[in-house]
Amino acid sequence: MIQLNEIRKSYNTEFTSLEVLKGIDLTINEGEFVSIMGSSGSGKSTLLNILGILDEYDSGEYLLDGRLIKNLTQTQAAQYRNKFLGFVFQSFNLLSFKMAWENVALPLYYQKVDRAIRKERAIEYLDKVGLKDWANHYPNQMSGGQQQRVAIARALITEPRVILADEPTGALDTQTSYDVMNIFKEVHEQGMTVIIVTHEEDISAKTQRVIRLQDGDIISS
Ligand code: ADP
Ligand code: MG
């Protein structure tokens, strides 16, 4: 599903150059449940943003489902993201003035799906994350764990092939974190490729495979 060959990435300012990814080689197969684990500053988010086609790399090759992801236009990048990828972030990124179902339905709004069908599908996906009864609540009426489950439902509603999550449990207490990891496990069991970035050992231990990043290098995978 994902193949990286010798991926390098530096951040350059006028005076300095910081090499953040130092030649990453990595294969992630369809249906895997993996974590990318490393301490703060090791390059996890940089790597995930490249996988998510949110950022470009300097050299090497990234193949997503056999397609070379390189020098894409904004439109092509958006098309690949919409077709293949679902995103979950540490801070949930829900719209506070929209109800849970409206947040979940948002990607379908951009696909110009009719409102009645959007609502029906959104409630179906809220049901998958155990929140059917919360469809008409606003984010500030829900706990952090519930909000993250809404965000996961929103990521799933377009039926992506890969879910990318950057520190999805970073704002949650331990038990709630494990509940959220159980949702990701169920998503994986339904056949999706799930990639979780974390700096917490106990979170990475919930995944099938741990890819360890240290100072921009993979030290084990
Ligand atoms: P992690 O997610 O593992 O904490 P990041 O990928 O966010 O690590 O960052 C890796 C390194 O790159 C850090 O030293 C960080 O300060 C630096 N960095 C990240 N983004 C930028 C940027 N846009 N410009 C300059 N330096 C950056
Ligand atoms: Mg990060």
Side-chain angles (χ1 to χ4, degrees), residues 104 108 119-135 145-146 148-160 163 179-192:
V104 174
L108 300 183
K119 185 163 189 178
E120 192 182 324
R121 300 252 334 260
I123 289 170
E124 184 189 319
Y125 277 86
L126 279 172
D127 196 16
K128 284 187 201 288
V129 298
L131 289 177
K132 195 178 177 194
D133 296 338
W134 291 78
Q146 288 173 324
Q148 192 59 300
R149 278 145 67 192
V150 172
I152 294 170
R154 179 184 57 189
L156 294 175
I157 200 165
T158 55
E159 299 181 343
I163 291 283
D179 294 344
V180 164
M181 288 306 290
N182 269 326
I183 303 262
F184 284 120
K185 181 166 179 267
E186 286 169 18
V187 168
H188 148 69
E189 283 165 357
Q190 286 161 23
M192 219 172 282

mmCIF file of all heavy atoms in Angstrom, residues 104 108 119-135 145-146 148-160 163 179-192:
data_model
loop_
_atom_site.group_PDB
_atom_site.id
_atom_site.type_symbol
_atom_site.label_atom_id
_atom_site.label_comp_id
_atom_site.label_asym_id
_atom_site.label_seq_id
_atom_site.Cartn_x
_atom_site.Cartn_y
_atom_site.Cartn_z
ATOM 1 N N VAL A 104 -19.360 14.851 11.114
ATOM 2 C CA VAL A 104 -19.043 13.579 10.442
ATOM 3 C C VAL A 104 -19.368 13.683 8.952
ATOM 4 O O VAL A 104 -18.645 13.168 8.095
ATOM 5 C CB VAL A 104 -19.812 12.420 11.104
ATOM 6 C CG1 VAL A 104 -19.612 11.123 10.337
ATOM 7 C CG2 VAL A 104 -19.377 12.260 12.563
ATOM 8 N N LEU A 108 -18.687 14.633 2.994
ATOM 9 C CA LEU A 108 -19.701 14.344 1.974
ATOM 10 C C LEU A 108 -20.298 15.638 1.423
ATOM 11 O O LEU A 108 -20.705 15.703 0.258
ATOM 12 C CB LEU A 108 -20.814 13.466 2.556
ATOM 13 C CG LEU A 108 -20.382 12.110 3.107
ATOM 14 C CD1 LEU A 108 -21.612 11.337 3.588
ATOM 15 C CD2 LEU A 108 -19.630 11.310 2.046
ATOM 16 N N LYS A 119 -26.854 12.848 6.159
ATOM 17 C CA LYS A 119 -27.261 12.625 7.543
ATOM 18 C C LYS A 119 -27.363 11.129 7.841
ATOM 19 O O LYS A 119 -26.877 10.652 8.872
ATOM 20 C CB LYS A 119 -28.589 13.325 7.832
ATOM 21 C CG LYS A 119 -28.997 13.217 9.294
ATOM 22 C CD LYS A 119 -30.059 14.203 9.684
ATOM 23 C CE LYS A 119 -30.249 14.171 11.204
ATOM 24 N NZ LYS A 119 -31.230 15.142 11.663
ATOM 25 N N GLU A 120 -27.973 10.411 6.904
ATOM 26 C CA GLU A 120 -28.124 8.965 7.080
ATOM 27 C C GLU A 120 -26.757 8.281 7.211
ATOM 28 O O GLU A 120 -26.528 7.485 8.123
ATOM 29 C CB GLU A 120 -28.867 8.438 5.843
ATOM 30 C CG GLU A 120 -29.377 7.032 5.943
ATOM 31 C CD GLU A 120 -30.049 6.624 4.629
ATOM 32 O OE1 GLU A 120 -30.697 7.489 3.997
ATOM 33 O OE2 GLU A 120 -29.888 5.464 4.233
ATOM 34 N N ARG A 121 -25.836 8.620 6.312
ATOM 35 C CA ARG A 121 -24.495 8.006 6.354
ATOM 36 C C ARG A 121 -23.744 8.424 7.618
ATOM 37 O O ARG A 121 -23.046 7.618 8.234
ATOM 38 C CB ARG A 121 -23.676 8.392 5.106
ATOM 39 C CG ARG A 121 -24.295 7.959 3.808
ATOM 40 C CD ARG A 121 -23.620 6.804 3.083
ATOM 41 N NE ARG A 121 -22.211 6.562 3.291
ATOM 42 C CZ ARG A 121 -21.260 6.945 2.466
ATOM 43 N NH1 ARG A 121 -21.533 7.656 1.385
ATOM 44 N NH2 ARG A 121 -20.018 6.623 2.709
ATOM 45 N N ALA A 122 -23.879 9.693 8.016
ATOM 46 C CA ALA A 122 -23.175 10.190 9.201
ATOM 47 C C ALA A 122 -23.631 9.421 10.439
ATOM 48 O O ALA A 122 -22.810 9.029 11.280
ATOM 49 C CB ALA A 122 -23.404 11.686 9.373
ATOM 50 N N ILE A 123 -24.929 9.184 10.542
ATOM 51 C CA ILE A 123 -25.449 8.471 11.718
ATOM 52 C C ILE A 123 -24.982 7.018 11.709
ATOM 53 O O ILE A 123 -24.627 6.456 12.747
ATOM 54 C CB ILE A 123 -26.976 8.648 11.808
ATOM 55 C CG1 ILE A 123 -27.247 10.114 12.206
ATOM 56 C CG2 ILE A 123 -27.600 7.679 12.823
ATOM 57 C CD1 ILE A 123 -28.672 10.555 12.125
ATOM 58 N N GLU A 124 -24.921 6.440 10.502
ATOM 59 C CA GLU A 124 -24.373 5.085 10.364
ATOM 60 C C GLU A 124 -22.921 5.028 10.889
ATOM 61 O O GLU A 124 -22.549 4.123 11.626
ATOM 62 C CB GLU A 124 -24.418 4.743 8.870
ATOM 63 C CG GLU A 124 -23.994 3.372 8.457
ATOM 64 C CD GLU A 124 -23.909 3.310 6.916
ATOM 65 O OE1 GLU A 124 -24.788 3.878 6.233
ATOM 66 O OE2 GLU A 124 -22.948 2.721 6.422
ATOM 67 N N TYR A 125 -22.117 6.033 10.552
ATOM 68 C CA TYR A 125 -20.710 6.032 10.998
ATOM 69 C C TYR A 125 -20.594 6.403 12.477
ATOM 70 O O TYR A 125 -19.711 5.883 13.169
ATOM 71 C CB TYR A 125 -19.844 6.910 10.085
ATOM 72 C CG TYR A 125 -19.435 6.132 8.868
ATOM 73 C CD1 TYR A 125 -20.263 6.061 7.747
ATOM 74 C CD2 TYR A 125 -18.271 5.369 8.864
ATOM 75 C CE1 TYR A 125 -19.931 5.291 6.658
ATOM 76 C CE2 TYR A 125 -17.930 4.590 7.769
ATOM 77 C CZ TYR A 125 -18.752 4.557 6.671
ATOM 78 O OH TYR A 125 -18.426 3.767 5.604
ATOM 79 N N LEU A 126 -21.492 7.251 12.971
ATOM 80 C CA LEU A 126 -21.496 7.523 14.414
ATOM 81 C C LEU A 126 -21.829 6.245 15.174
ATOM 82 O O LEU A 126 -21.269 5.973 16.241
ATOM 83 C CB LEU A 126 -22.514 8.625 14.752
ATOM 84 C CG LEU A 126 -22.035 10.049 14.520
ATOM 85 C CD1 LEU A 126 -23.195 11.026 14.691
ATOM 86 C CD2 LEU A 126 -20.895 10.416 15.481
ATOM 87 N N ASP A 127 -22.718 5.445 14.612
ATOM 88 C CA ASP A 127 -23.078 4.165 15.220
ATOM 89 C C ASP A 127 -21.848 3.254 15.310
ATOM 90 O O ASP A 127 -21.610 2.595 16.325
ATOM 91 C CB ASP A 127 -24.181 3.520 14.375
ATOM 92 C CG ASP A 127 -24.888 2.407 15.117
ATOM 93 O OD1 ASP A 127 -24.754 2.332 16.365
ATOM 94 O OD2 ASP A 127 -25.576 1.602 14.463
ATOM 95 N N LYS A 128 -21.030 3.251 14.270
ATOM 96 C CA LYS A 128 -19.816 2.406 14.254
ATOM 97 C C LYS A 128 -18.851 2.763 15.387
ATOM 98 O O LYS A 128 -18.100 1.911 15.846
ATOM 99 C CB LYS A 128 -19.064 2.567 12.923
ATOM 100 C CG LYS A 128 -19.688 1.848 11.736
ATOM 101 C CD LYS A 128 -18.729 1.953 10.543
ATOM 102 C CE LYS A 128 -19.392 1.750 9.206
ATOM 103 N NZ LYS A 128 -19.785 0.363 8.933
ATOM 104 N N VAL A 129 -18.842 4.043 15.802
ATOM 105 C CA VAL A 129 -17.951 4.438 16.896
ATOM 106 C C VAL A 129 -18.711 4.566 18.219
ATOM 107 O O VAL A 129 -18.209 5.145 19.180
ATOM 108 C CB VAL A 129 -17.193 5.751 16.571
ATOM 109 C CG1 VAL A 129 -16.296 5.577 15.350
ATOM 110 C CG2 VAL A 129 -18.154 6.925 16.376
ATOM 111 N N GLY A 130 -19.935 4.014 18.253
ATOM 112 C CA GLY A 130 -20.703 3.934 19.495
ATOM 113 C C GLY A 130 -21.344 5.239 19.924
ATOM 114 O O GLY A 130 -21.611 5.449 21.109
ATOM 115 N N LEU A 131 -21.624 6.139 18.974
ATOM 116 C CA LEU A 131 -22.151 7.458 19.342
ATOM 117 C C LEU A 131 -23.440 7.821 18.623
ATOM 118 O O LEU A 131 -23.744 8.999 18.436
ATOM 119 C CB LEU A 131 -21.088 8.541 19.035
ATOM 120 C CG LEU A 131 -19.865 8.563 19.942
ATOM 121 C CD1 LEU A 131 -18.885 9.627 19.462
ATOM 122 C CD2 LEU A 131 -20.256 8.835 21.394
ATOM 123 N N LYS A 132 -24.211 6.826 18.262
ATOM 124 C CA LYS A 132 -25.444 7.093 17.515
ATOM 125 C C LYS A 132 -26.353 8.080 18.251
ATOM 126 O O LYS A 132 -26.953 8.960 17.648
ATOM 127 C CB LYS A 132 -26.172 5.775 17.275
ATOM 128 C CG LYS A 132 -27.239 5.861 16.225
ATOM 129 C CD LYS A 132 -27.892 4.508 16.006
ATOM 130 C CE LYS A 132 -29.019 4.664 14.989
ATOM 131 N NZ LYS A 132 -29.898 3.513 14.966
ATOM 132 N N ASP A 133 -26.419 7.915 19.573
ATOM 133 C CA ASP A 133 -27.329 8.753 20.352
ATOM 134 C C ASP A 133 -26.814 10.179 20.556
ATOM 135 O O ASP A 133 -27.491 11.009 21.162
ATOM 136 C CB ASP A 133 -27.580 8.121 21.726
ATOM 137 C CG ASP A 133 -28.301 6.787 21.600
ATOM 138 O OD1 ASP A 133 -28.961 6.569 20.556
ATOM 139 O OD2 ASP A 133 -28.195 5.957 22.527
ATOM 140 N N TRP A 134 -25.612 10.449 20.066
ATOM 141 C CA TRP A 134 -25.004 11.769 20.282
ATOM 142 C C TRP A 134 -25.011 12.618 19.009
ATOM 143 O O TRP A 134 -24.401 13.682 18.949
ATOM 144 C CB TRP A 134 -23.571 11.604 20.805
ATOM 145 C CG TRP A 134 -23.566 11.055 22.197
ATOM 146 C CD1 TRP A 134 -23.768 9.763 22.569
ATOM 147 C CD2 TRP A 134 -23.397 11.788 23.409
ATOM 148 N NE1 TRP A 134 -23.734 9.637 23.940
ATOM 149 C CE2 TRP A 134 -23.494 10.871 24.480
ATOM 150 C CE3 TRP A 134 -23.170 13.139 23.707
ATOM 151 C CZ2 TRP A 134 -23.367 11.261 25.803
ATOM 152 C CZ3 TRP A 134 -23.037 13.520 25.036
ATOM 153 C CH2 TRP A 134 -23.143 12.579 26.067
ATOM 154 N N ALA A 135 -25.746 12.152 18.004
ATOM 155 C CA ALA A 135 -25.720 12.803 16.688
ATOM 156 C C ALA A 135 -26.053 14.293 16.748
ATOM 157 O O ALA A 135 -25.479 15.097 16.021
ATOM 158 C CB ALA A 135 -26.680 12.083 15.742
ATOM 159 N N GLY A 145 -12.860 12.037 24.623
ATOM 160 C CA GLY A 145 -12.882 10.738 23.950
ATOM 161 C C GLY A 145 -14.013 10.647 22.939
ATOM 162 O O GLY A 145 -13.851 10.109 21.844
ATOM 163 N N GLN A 146 -15.165 11.203 23.316
ATOM 164 C CA GLN A 146 -16.303 11.209 22.381
ATOM 165 C C GLN A 146 -15.988 12.074 21.167
ATOM 166 O O GLN A 146 -16.291 11.709 20.033
ATOM 167 C CB GLN A 146 -17.565 11.709 23.084
ATOM 168 C CG GLN A 146 -18.131 10.705 24.073
ATOM 169 C CD GLN A 146 -19.286 11.279 24.875
ATOM 170 O OE1 GLN A 146 -19.284 12.464 25.223
ATOM 171 N NE2 GLN A 146 -20.276 10.454 25.173
ATOM 172 N N GLN A 148 -13.091 12.663 19.910
ATOM 173 C CA GLN A 148 -12.142 11.989 19.025
ATOM 174 C C GLN A 148 -12.853 10.891 18.226
ATOM 175 O O GLN A 148 -12.513 10.644 17.069
ATOM 176 C CB GLN A 148 -10.943 11.437 19.822
ATOM 177 C CG GLN A 148 -9.771 10.977 18.967
ATOM 178 C CD GLN A 148 -9.191 12.084 18.088
ATOM 179 O OE1 GLN A 148 -9.897 12.638 17.251
ATOM 180 N NE2 GLN A 148 -7.922 12.391 18.276
ATOM 181 N N ARG A 149 -13.856 10.244 18.838
ATOM 182 C CA ARG A 149 -14.608 9.226 18.088
ATOM 183 C C ARG A 149 -15.414 9.866 16.954
ATOM 184 O O ARG A 149 -15.530 9.284 15.872
ATOM 185 C CB ARG A 149 -15.490 8.419 19.035
ATOM 186 C CG ARG A 149 -14.671 7.318 19.728
ATOM 187 C CD ARG A 149 -15.110 7.056 21.134
ATOM 188 N NE ARG A 149 -16.441 6.473 21.209
ATOM 189 C CZ ARG A 149 -17.148 6.366 22.329
ATOM 190 N NH1 ARG A 149 -16.637 6.795 23.470
ATOM 191 N NH2 ARG A 149 -18.326 5.805 22.317
ATOM 192 N N VAL A 150 -15.926 11.066 17.199
ATOM 193 C CA VAL A 150 -16.606 11.800 16.110
ATOM 194 C C VAL A 150 -15.598 12.065 14.978
ATOM 195 O O VAL A 150 -15.902 11.866 13.795
ATOM 196 C CB VAL A 150 -17.207 13.136 16.623
ATOM 197 C CG1 VAL A 150 -17.729 13.986 15.472
ATOM 198 C CG2 VAL A 150 -18.322 12.868 17.637
ATOM 199 N N ALA A 151 -14.394 12.482 15.358
ATOM 200 C CA ALA A 151 -13.367 12.774 14.344
ATOM 201 C C ALA A 151 -12.990 11.506 13.570
ATOM 202 O O ALA A 151 -12.735 11.560 12.360
ATOM 203 C CB ALA A 151 -12.135 13.385 15.015
ATOM 204 N N ILE A 152 -12.979 10.367 14.258
ATOM 205 C CA ILE A 152 -12.673 9.096 13.564
ATOM 206 C C ILE A 152 -13.804 8.762 12.592
ATOM 207 O O ILE A 152 -13.547 8.378 11.442
ATOM 208 C CB ILE A 152 -12.438 7.962 14.580
ATOM 209 C CG1 ILE A 152 -11.164 8.237 15.399
ATOM 210 C CG2 ILE A 152 -12.326 6.609 13.858
ATOM 211 C CD1 ILE A 152 -10.964 7.310 16.585
ATOM 212 N N ALA A 153 -15.045 8.948 13.026
ATOM 213 C CA ALA A 153 -16.185 8.694 12.124
ATOM 214 C C ALA A 153 -16.088 9.595 10.891
ATOM 215 O O ALA A 153 -16.355 9.164 9.766
ATOM 216 C CB ALA A 153 -17.500 8.928 12.866
ATOM 217 N N ARG A 154 -15.693 10.839 11.093
ATOM 218 C CA ARG A 154 -15.542 11.775 9.969
ATOM 219 C C ARG A 154 -14.446 11.297 9.003
ATOM 220 O O ARG A 154 -14.568 11.421 7.785
ATOM 221 C CB ARG A 154 -15.201 13.173 10.506
ATOM 222 C CG ARG A 154 -14.989 14.225 9.416
ATOM 223 C CD ARG A 154 -14.562 15.559 9.993
ATOM 224 N NE ARG A 154 -13.354 15.414 10.786
ATOM 225 C CZ ARG A 154 -12.828 16.367 11.558
ATOM 226 N NH1 ARG A 154 -13.407 17.546 11.634
ATOM 227 N NH2 ARG A 154 -11.730 16.142 12.242
ATOM 228 N N ALA A 155 -13.367 10.732 9.577
ATOM 229 C CA ALA A 155 -12.286 10.228 8.724
ATOM 230 C C ALA A 155 -12.716 8.993 7.935
ATOM 231 O O ALA A 155 -12.219 8.740 6.845
ATOM 232 C CB ALA A 155 -11.058 9.900 9.583
ATOM 233 N N LEU A 156 -13.646 8.221 8.514
ATOM 234 C CA LEU A 156 -14.055 6.954 7.882
ATOM 235 C C LEU A 156 -15.124 7.125 6.818
ATOM 236 O O LEU A 156 -15.273 6.251 5.951
ATOM 237 C CB LEU A 156 -14.592 5.990 8.956
ATOM 238 C CG LEU A 156 -13.599 5.490 9.995
ATOM 239 C CD1 LEU A 156 -14.335 4.659 11.041
ATOM 240 C CD2 LEU A 156 -12.497 4.677 9.330
ATOM 241 N N ILE A 157 -15.875 8.207 6.872
ATOM 242 C CA ILE A 157 -17.109 8.290 6.076
ATOM 243 C C ILE A 157 -16.858 8.279 4.571
ATOM 244 O O ILE A 157 -17.719 7.873 3.801
ATOM 245 C CB ILE A 157 -17.978 9.501 6.512
ATOM 246 C CG1 ILE A 157 -19.426 9.305 6.065
ATOM 247 C CG2 ILE A 157 -17.399 10.820 5.992
ATOM 248 C CD1 ILE A 157 -20.428 10.217 6.722
ATOM 249 N N THR A 158 -15.667 8.674 4.156
ATOM 250 C CA THR A 158 -15.359 8.631 2.717
ATOM 251 C C THR A 158 -14.785 7.277 2.306
ATOM 252 O O THR A 158 -14.356 7.107 1.166
ATOM 253 C CB THR A 158 -14.354 9.732 2.340
ATOM 254 O OG1 THR A 158 -13.206 9.577 3.180
ATOM 255 C CG2 THR A 158 -14.934 11.120 2.538
ATOM 256 N N GLU A 159 -14.751 6.315 3.246
ATOM 257 C CA GLU A 159 -14.221 4.978 2.998
ATOM 258 C C GLU A 159 -12.811 5.009 2.412
ATOM 259 O O GLU A 159 -12.546 4.487 1.320
ATOM 260 C CB GLU A 159 -15.183 4.188 2.093
ATOM 261 C CG GLU A 159 -16.539 4.044 2.763
ATOM 262 C CD GLU A 159 -17.558 3.260 1.944
ATOM 263 O OE1 GLU A 159 -17.336 3.088 0.734
ATOM 264 O OE2 GLU A 159 -18.561 2.824 2.540
ATOM 265 N N PRO A 160 -11.867 5.633 3.154
ATOM 266 C CA PRO A 160 -10.487 5.697 2.674
ATOM 267 C C PRO A 160 -9.820 4.334 2.783
ATOM 268 O O PRO A 160 -10.335 3.439 3.460
ATOM 269 C CB PRO A 160 -9.836 6.694 3.634
ATOM 270 C CG PRO A 160 -10.607 6.537 4.902
ATOM 271 C CD PRO A 160 -12.018 6.253 4.485
ATOM 272 N N ILE A 163 -5.950 5.115 7.130
ATOM 273 C CA ILE A 163 -6.205 6.128 8.155
ATOM 274 C C ILE A 163 -4.860 6.560 8.737
ATOM 275 O O ILE A 163 -4.048 5.711 9.140
ATOM 276 C CB ILE A 163 -7.087 5.561 9.293
ATOM 277 C CG1 ILE A 163 -8.506 5.285 8.798
ATOM 278 C CG2 ILE A 163 -7.113 6.495 10.496
ATOM 279 C CD1 ILE A 163 -9.388 6.504 8.656
ATOM 280 N N ASP A 179 -9.644 3.172 24.842
ATOM 281 C CA ASP A 179 -10.939 3.033 24.156
ATOM 282 C C ASP A 179 -10.805 3.481 22.699
ATOM 283 O O ASP A 179 -11.321 2.831 21.786
ATOM 284 C CB ASP A 179 -12.022 3.881 24.847
ATOM 285 C CG ASP A 179 -12.339 3.379 26.256
ATOM 286 O OD1 ASP A 179 -11.971 2.232 26.585
ATOM 287 O OD2 ASP A 179 -12.945 4.153 27.035
ATOM 288 N N VAL A 180 -10.109 4.596 22.496
ATOM 289 C CA VAL A 180 -9.919 5.109 21.135
ATOM 290 C C VAL A 180 -9.062 4.138 20.322
ATOM 291 O O VAL A 180 -9.347 3.866 19.150
ATOM 292 C CB VAL A 180 -9.319 6.534 21.186
ATOM 293 C CG1 VAL A 180 -8.736 6.947 19.843
ATOM 294 C CG2 VAL A 180 -10.397 7.539 21.613
ATOM 295 N N MET A 181 -8.036 3.556 20.954
ATOM 296 C CA MET A 181 -7.198 2.577 20.241
ATOM 297 C C MET A 181 -8.012 1.336 19.864
ATOM 298 O O MET A 181 -7.772 0.725 18.827
ATOM 299 C CB MET A 181 -5.973 2.189 21.084
ATOM 300 C CG MET A 181 -4.920 3.284 21.201
ATOM 301 S SD MET A 181 -4.351 3.927 19.606
ATOM 302 C CE MET A 181 -3.415 2.535 18.984
ATOM 303 N N ASN A 182 -8.997 0.996 20.704
ATOM 304 C CA ASN A 182 -9.879 -0.129 20.361
ATOM 305 C C ASN A 182 -10.705 0.163 19.116
ATOM 306 O O ASN A 182 -10.954 -0.732 18.312
ATOM 307 C CB ASN A 182 -10.812 -0.467 21.528
ATOM 308 C CG ASN A 182 -10.187 -1.524 22.429
ATOM 309 O OD1 ASN A 182 -9.476 -2.404 21.946
ATOM 310 N ND2 ASN A 182 -10.439 -1.416 23.721
ATOM 311 N N ILE A 183 -11.125 1.412 18.974
ATOM 312 C CA ILE A 183 -11.858 1.804 17.752
ATOM 313 C C ILE A 183 -10.940 1.636 16.537
ATOM 314 O O ILE A 183 -11.351 1.076 15.510
ATOM 315 C CB ILE A 183 -12.343 3.268 17.857
ATOM 316 C CG1 ILE A 183 -13.204 3.472 19.091
ATOM 317 C CG2 ILE A 183 -13.027 3.689 16.545
ATOM 318 C CD1 ILE A 183 -14.675 3.433 18.888
ATOM 319 N N PHE A 184 -9.692 2.094 16.656
ATOM 320 C CA PHE A 184 -8.749 1.928 15.531
ATOM 321 C C PHE A 184 -8.532 0.446 15.216
ATOM 322 O O PHE A 184 -8.400 0.061 14.059
ATOM 323 C CB PHE A 184 -7.409 2.607 15.832
ATOM 324 C CG PHE A 184 -7.436 4.105 15.702
ATOM 325 C CD1 PHE A 184 -7.139 4.913 16.785
ATOM 326 C CD2 PHE A 184 -7.765 4.712 14.497
ATOM 327 C CE1 PHE A 184 -7.157 6.302 16.668
ATOM 328 C CE2 PHE A 184 -7.791 6.096 14.365
ATOM 329 C CZ PHE A 184 -7.481 6.890 15.457
ATOM 330 N N LYS A 185 -8.496 -0.368 16.275
ATOM 331 C CA LYS A 185 -8.322 -1.809 16.063
ATOM 332 C C LYS A 185 -9.505 -2.377 15.266
ATOM 333 O O LYS A 185 -9.309 -3.160 14.334
ATOM 334 C CB LYS A 185 -8.192 -2.503 17.425
ATOM 335 C CG LYS A 185 -7.991 -3.996 17.374
ATOM 336 C CD LYS A 185 -7.528 -4.500 18.749
ATOM 337 C CE LYS A 185 -7.335 -6.000 18.762
ATOM 338 N NZ LYS A 185 -8.552 -6.722 19.204
ATOM 339 N N GLU A 186 -10.712 -1.960 15.631
ATOM 340 C CA GLU A 186 -11.904 -2.419 14.888
ATOM 341 C C GLU A 186 -11.855 -1.969 13.435
ATOM 342 O O GLU A 186 -12.202 -2.726 12.525
ATOM 343 C CB GLU A 186 -13.182 -1.878 15.548
ATOM 344 C CG GLU A 186 -13.541 -2.584 16.837
ATOM 345 C CD GLU A 186 -14.650 -1.868 17.612
ATOM 346 O OE1 GLU A 186 -15.376 -1.039 17.011
ATOM 347 O OE2 GLU A 186 -14.765 -2.123 18.826
ATOM 348 N N VAL A 187 -11.396 -0.735 13.229
ATOM 349 C CA VAL A 187 -11.270 -0.202 11.864
ATOM 350 C C VAL A 187 -10.287 -1.065 11.069
ATOM 351 O O VAL A 187 -10.551 -1.447 9.925
ATOM 352 C CB VAL A 187 -10.796 1.272 11.927
ATOM 353 C CG1 VAL A 187 -10.380 1.781 10.554
ATOM 354 C CG2 VAL A 187 -11.889 2.159 12.514
ATOM 355 N N HIS A 188 -9.187 -1.395 11.697
ATOM 356 C CA HIS A 188 -8.196 -2.285 11.073
ATOM 357 C C HIS A 188 -8.800 -3.656 10.775
ATOM 358 O O HIS A 188 -8.584 -4.221 9.692
ATOM 359 C CB HIS A 188 -6.984 -2.396 12.001
ATOM 360 C CG HIS A 188 -6.278 -3.697 11.950
ATOM 361 N ND1 HIS A 188 -5.556 -4.100 10.847
ATOM 362 C CD2 HIS A 188 -6.199 -4.707 12.851
ATOM 363 C CE1 HIS A 188 -5.064 -5.306 11.076
ATOM 364 N NE2 HIS A 188 -5.443 -5.694 12.275
ATOM 365 N N GLU A 189 -9.593 -4.174 11.703
ATOM 366 C CA GLU A 189 -10.192 -5.501 11.513
ATOM 367 C C GLU A 189 -11.182 -5.521 10.356
ATOM 368 O O GLU A 189 -11.468 -6.573 9.798
ATOM 369 C CB GLU A 189 -10.858 -5.980 12.817
ATOM 370 C CG GLU A 189 -9.816 -6.467 13.817
ATOM 371 C CD GLU A 189 -10.333 -6.608 15.244
ATOM 372 O OE1 GLU A 189 -11.507 -6.270 15.503
ATOM 373 O OE2 GLU A 189 -9.554 -7.045 16.105
ATOM 374 N N GLN A 190 -11.676 -4.343 10.000
ATOM 375 C CA GLN A 190 -12.553 -4.256 8.821
ATOM 376 C C GLN A 190 -11.752 -4.102 7.531
ATOM 377 O O GLN A 190 -12.331 -3.899 6.471
ATOM 378 C CB GLN A 190 -13.545 -3.107 8.994
ATOM 379 C CG GLN A 190 -14.637 -3.472 10.011
ATOM 380 C CD GLN A 190 -15.379 -2.274 10.570
ATOM 381 O OE1 GLN A 190 -15.410 -1.221 9.936
ATOM 382 N NE2 GLN A 190 -15.944 -2.424 11.750
ATOM 383 N N GLY A 191 -10.410 -4.184 7.651
ATOM 384 C CA GLY A 191 -9.589 -4.253 6.437
ATOM 385 C C GLY A 191 -8.817 -3.001 6.089
ATOM 386 O O GLY A 191 -8.065 -2.981 5.120
ATOM 387 N N MET A 192 -9.002 -1.948 6.879
ATOM 388 C CA MET A 192 -8.325 -0.701 6.539
ATOM 389 C C MET A 192 -6.880 -0.705 7.052
ATOM 390 O O MET A 192 -6.571 -1.363 8.045
ATOM 391 C CB MET A 192 -9.092 0.455 7.173
ATOM 392 C CG MET A 192 -9.169 1.671 6.283
ATOM 393 S SD MET A 192 -10.259 2.910 6.969
ATOM 394 C CE MET A 192 -11.856 2.260 6.546
#
